[in-house]
Amino acid sequence: MTRLVVGMSGASGAVYGIRMLEILKGMSDVETHLVMSPAARQTIALETSWKPRDVESLADVTYRHGDIAAAISSGSFPAHAMIILPCSVRTLGAVAWSQNDDLLTRAADVTLKERRKLVIALRETPLHLGHLRAMTQVTEMGAILAPLMPSFYGRPATVADLVDHTVGRLFDLLGITPPDELVSRWTGPTAG
């Protein structure tokens, strides 16, 4: 059983985290542990037709953002990996400088200190030097920085196609095999 911690911060792009949880819900070999920031709850309500409690129902286990004594706050909790999807610059900075004043950032810090895989799906543009330094810092600490940038080589027809492809690539980074229909794999140019 793969145990995955999913953190959702208040950055725009809540649809990415929701879509990942939807897909993971159907995977019996993956157990999801979700923590959402208060800003994530607000962004979900602003950007989607989902209610935060319905997003929580997609996870196997949910935690309160302020519960720093939760299981995922300890290195003794055996998790395969963690993803922050989407990740705000505020959360990125907190992770980069080990400011563990909430469960989301504490769980990320634990993931790093235990040398487990941490994928940070940053959603911010443009970037200033402080953002770039935080990005460098988390990368040097061992995180995988995967900014949410759509690709077009698969010729997406809808926003859902863009989201699915990005989420599928994030599955790859987590070491979890995504459903085949999610990712349009590049095989080189086709003869025409």
Side-chain angles (χ1 to χ4, degrees):
M1 171 73 64
T2 298
R3 196 176 269 170
L4 178 66
V5 177
V6 178
M8 292 181 70
S9 76
S12 182
V15 66
Y16 289 105
I18 294 168
R19 185 64 178 132
M20 177 166 274
L21 287 166
E22 282 181 310
I23 296 162
L24 289 167
K25 181 82 174 167
M27 299 175 85
S28 61
D29 59 336
V30 179
E31 180 182 276
T32 54
H33 292 254
L34 174 65
V35 59
M36 291 191 294
S37 71
R41 293 176 176 284
Q42 185 175 13
T43 303
I44 288 166
L46 291 171
E47 291 185 349
T48 76
S49 58
W50 286 79
K51 291 181 174 37
R53 70 176 175 271
D54 296 328
V55 174
E56 287 178 324
S57 74
L58 296 172
D60 295 303
V61 182
T62 60
Y63 302 92
R64 288 181 304 105
H65 186 251
D67 185 5
I68 60 168
I72 61 173
S73 72
S74 173
S76 67
F77 180 78
H80 170 74
M82 179 176 179
I83 185 166
I84 305 175
L85 177 65
C87 184
S88 66
V89 165
R90 187 245 171 257
T91 300
L92 170 71
V95 173
W97 310 114
S98 303
Q99 296 172 341
N100 302 325
D101 59 350
D102 60 59
L103 184 57
L104 178 55
T105 55
R106 173 62 186 164
D109 193 63
V110 165
T111 301
L112 290 171
K113 81 178 185 69
E114 297 296 326
R115 306 300 191 260
R116 297 175 184 147
K117 193 175 289 191
L118 174 63
V119 175
I120 297 176
L122 184 67
R123 215 324 269 144
E124 186 62 66
T125 190
L127 302 166
H128 63 60
L129 185 57
H131 301 154
L132 296 172
R133 286 185 174 146
M135 292 166 70
T136 300
Q137 179 75 4
V138 297
T139 302
E140 289 175 344
M141 293 164 65
I144 299 170
L145 190 62
L148 295 170
M149 297 179 185
S151 66
F152 295 93
Y153 58 81
R155 298 191 181 215
T158 66
V159 171
D161 291 344
L162 289 171
V163 169
D164 279 357
H165 181 82
T166 299
V167 168
R169 293 291 290 124
L170 293 170
F171 269 80
D172 288 344
L173 292 174
L174 291 165
I176 300 171
T177 304
D180 289 337
E181 67 275 7
L182 276 189
V183 181
S184 200
R185 305 283 181 187
W186 179 251
T187 58
T190 57

